Amino acid sequence: MSSRILIIEDETTIAQLERDYFELNGFQVDLCHTGNEGLPLAINGDYSLIIVDLQLPGMDGFELCSQIRQVKEVPILIVSAKKEEIDKIRAFNLGADDYITKPFSPSELVARAKAHLTRYERLTARQPQPSNAEIHIRGLVIDKVSRRVYVRNQEVIFTTREFNLLEFLATHPNRVFNKNELFERIWGMDSSGDIATVTVHIRKLREKIEVDPSNPQYIETVWGAGYRFTV
C-alpha cells in the first residue's frame, strides 16, 4: 500500500504543486487549507506524514504542529516562507522533524519526505531485543523493550526521537559526539535536514532527566566538540 500524507497549506497553487509531485511518486494525498480544518484530520486520520505551512489562517502552523505532536509521532515537515533561524528553532521545539523554506524544490521536498518515512518506519519497527534490555545509571532507567524511561522511580514520557537519542547516548557512555554525528545517527539523513534540531532535542532531554538542566549531570556539553553522556 502507498503511504498517505496530509498537506495543510493555504496557498492553493503551492498545495496543488506539492500534491502533484507526491502523487507522481505513488503517495495518496489529502489537502486542506486552514489549521482549524487540518487539526482534526491530522489527529484522526491514518497519515504516514504531515506537511504544514506556518502562516495559516486561524490556527497557525506553530500551534498546529504542537497540537499534532501531543498525540501523534508521525513525521511533520514544515514548509514556510519564514526564513529566520528563530522560527526554525521554534518549529523544532514544537515537534517538527524538518523545515524547508519557500521557494523550494518539489523534488527535494519529496526526497526529504521519503527519507523521513524510511527512517520513521525503521525506528518504529519491532526488532529482536538484546539481553541487556535495561540501562541503569544513577537513578535513570531506560527500558529498551518497552521504550519507557524512569527518572528517580517516576516514569517520564518521551517522543520517539527523544527516546532514540537518549538511548543512543546512554548506550555509548563517556564518548563525545558532535551535532552532525548525532543528526546522522538519529535522523539518518546526513545534510538533508537542519542540525539545529539536535540542540533542541538535547535541551528537551535535559529538562526531562536532569535535576538541574542548567547544570547537567548526565548529558554534558563538551565545548567545541559536542555532547557526552557521563556515567
Side-chain angles (χ1 to χ4, degrees), residues 147-165:
R147 296 180 66 84
R148 290 181 170 179
V149 178
Y150 300 88
V151 181
R152 293 173 288 280
N153 297 320
Q154 296 294 320
E155 183 175 3
V156 179
I157 304 303
F158 288 75
T159 67
T160 298
R161 284 270 163 72
E162 289 170 358
F163 182 90
N164 293 334
L165 179 57

Side-chain angles (χ1 to χ4, degrees), residues 121-166:
E121 289 167 0
R122 187 176 73 81
L123 290 174
T124 55
R126 290 188 176 273
Q127 300 177 358
Q129 297 296 328
S131 57
N132 56 336
E134 288 189 354
I135 300 173
H136 294 256
I137 304 172
R138 302 193 314 275
L140 174 67
V141 178
I142 303 169
D143 188 329
K144 294 190 285 187
V145 175
S146 65
R147 296 180 66 84
R148 290 181 170 179
V149 178
Y150 300 88
V151 181
R152 293 173 288 280
N153 297 320
Q154 296 294 320
E155 183 175 3
V156 179
I157 304 303
F158 288 75
T159 67
T160 298
R161 284 270 163 72
E162 289 170 358
F163 182 90
N164 293 334
L165 179 57
L166 177 63

Side-chain angles (χ1 to χ4, degrees), residues 7-224:
I7 297 173
I8 309 172
E9 167 64 66
D10 66 322
E11 296 186 51
T12 304
T13 302
I14 293 177
Q16 292 176 345
L17 177 65
E18 293 174 349
R19 180 187 61 191
D20 290 346
Y21 267 80
F22 277 105
E23 288 182 343
L24 283 172
N25 281 271
F27 290 87
Q28 298 178 32
V29 182
D30 290 338
L31 290 181
C32 62
H33 304 292
T34 70
N36 292 331
E37 179 188 5
L39 181 60
L41 290 174
I43 290 177
N44 299 315
D46 184 20
Y47 295 105
S48 302
L49 181 138
I50 300 171
I51 296 175
V52 177
D53 181 34
L54 290 181
Q55 296 172 296
L56 295 168
M59 180 186 297
D60 68 16
F62 289 119
E63 178 63 21
L64 182 60
C65 182
S66 175
Q67 293 285 339
I68 295 171
R69 185 54 77 220
Q70 289 180 32
V71 295
K72 287 286 183 76
E73 283 297 329
V74 299
I76 299 175
L77 277 64
I78 301 295
V79 179
S80 176
K82 297 170 74 68
K83 296 176 168 51
E84 293 79 9
E85 183 177 4
I86 188 63
D87 294 311
K88 294 182 180 181
I89 295 296
R90 184 182 177 193
F92 288 134
N93 262 320
L94 295 173
D97 294 280
D98 205 346
Y99 193 110
I100 304 170
T101 55
K102 300 176 183 178
F104 61 91
S105 162
S107 296
E108 180 185 358
L109 176 62
V110 172
R112 289 197 186 194
K114 287 181 176 180
H116 281 288
L117 283 169
T118 299
R119 184 67 172 172
Y120 179 73
E121 289 167 0
R122 187 176 73 81
L123 290 174
T124 55
R126 290 188 176 273
Q127 300 177 358
Q129 297 296 328
S131 57
N132 56 336
E134 288 189 354
I135 300 173
H136 294 256
I137 304 172
R138 302 193 314 275
L140 174 67
V141 178
I142 303 169
D143 188 329
K144 294 190 285 187
V145 175
S146 65
R147 296 180 66 84
R148 290 181 170 179
V149 178
Y150 300 88
V151 181
R152 293 173 288 280
N153 297 320
Q154 296 294 320
E155 183 175 3
V156 179
I157 304 303
F158 288 75
T159 67
T160 298
R161 284 270 163 72
E162 289 170 358
F163 182 90
N164 293 334
L165 179 57
L166 177 63
E167 180 186 12
F168 176 77
L169 289 170
T171 306
H172 301 82
N174 301 320
R175 177 178 169 184
V176 178
F177 293 93
N178 63 40
K179 293 178 184 178
N180 286 306
E181 289 174 320
L182 292 174
F183 187 83
E184 182 176 353
R185 299 271 190 145
I186 304 303
W187 282 261
M189 295 170 293
D190 296 327
S191 61
S192 66
D194 194 321
I195 64 169
T197 191
V198 175
T199 303
V200 171
H201 279 72
I202 290 291
R203 180 172 58 78
K204 287 183 176 180
L205 292 185
R206 286 172 171 164
E207 290 174 351
K208 291 183 177 184
I209 69 174
E210 302 283 0
V211 174
D212 179 7
S214 63
N215 183 31
Q217 303 301 306
Y218 292 108
I219 304 174
E220 297 182 342
T221 298
V222 181
W223 296 109

